[in-house]
Amino acid sequence: IGVFLIQRGDERQCVERLVGYEDWTVLKSGEDSRPPDDEAEYVNGDWVVPLAVLRRHKIDAAKTVMADLRRLGVQTPYGRFDADHQSQSSLSSALAVAGENYSQAWTLHDNTAVTLNLTALRAVCVLVQAFESGLHQRLQTMRLALENCATAAEIAAVEF
């Protein structure tokens, strides 16, 4: 049992046994016969992941980091607030209907509570929105940097 990259005509595949593939040509054997990515292409005896795929993986990884950062919340003078999309929506909705006498208890990231008046609610909304805008700006900056990369090594060097 091993790993074999085999080809017949234009069709290529990785198999663990050659039984039943006698009319196929073995291109490569061993663990490096497996493609490093589902979208890798076999070119001149090596697996190559297209740059567009590497860029997409890098953006997907950055989006995962963004989600993780949102889960950590946003520190404000009133405590750490959740920053996931649902929490952002709740804050924005509250601000949209809040009157001058607004006073509402909010559950913080650590599950303690704080009462916000209208001024405090506005400040929290501004801070949470600034946090979210910062994430998107970082992603956009990364996206632009990735567009200028001409090699896999350059793409790997780009950080969020």
Side-chain angles (χ1 to χ4, degrees), residues 66-80:
M66 289 171 68
D68 290 344
L69 291 171
R70 285 185 191 106
R71 277 191 285 279
L72 293 174
V74 176
Q75 186 62 46
T76 75
Y78 309 98
R80 181 172 294 279

Side-chain angles (χ1 to χ4, degrees), residues 54-158:
L54 294 175
R55 287 183 185 101
R56 188 176 68 244
H57 289 329
K58 202 71 159 169
I59 294 293
D60 290 345
K63 288 179 179 178
T64 299
V65 171
M66 289 171 68
D68 290 344
L69 291 171
R70 285 185 191 106
R71 277 191 285 279
L72 293 174
V74 176
Q75 186 62 46
T76 75
Y78 309 98
R80 181 172 294 279
F81 280 77
D82 291 324
D84 58 86
H85 291 299
Q86 181 178 354
S87 298
Q88 290 180 38
S89 179
S90 295
L91 287 164
S92 296
S93 296
L95 184 60
V97 298
E100 289 300 318
N101 295 325
Y102 178 84
S103 179
Q104 176 68 45
W106 282 86
T107 302
L108 298 173
H109 186 72
D110 66 0
N111 293 323
T112 60
V114 64
T115 300
L116 300 179
N117 61 22
L118 181 58
T119 302
L121 178 61
R122 283 182 182 144
V124 168
C125 285
V126 166
L127 291 169
V128 171
Q129 185 55 46
F131 168 81
E132 183 68 20
S133 293
L135 290 178
H136 284 280
Q137 183 59 49
R138 286 173 64 185
L139 184 62
Q140 183 61 21
T141 300
M142 179 185 184
R143 195 180 310 264
L144 292 171
L146 289 170
E147 287 175 11
N148 293 319
C149 292
T151 67
E154 289 174 358
I155 291 171
V158 175

Side-chain angles (χ1 to χ4, degrees), residues 6-12 23-25 27:
I6 58 176
Q7 179 175 344
R8 181 174 63 190
D10 290 336
E11 185 179 358
R12 291 188 182 121
D23 59 334
W24 291 64
T25 302
L27 299 176

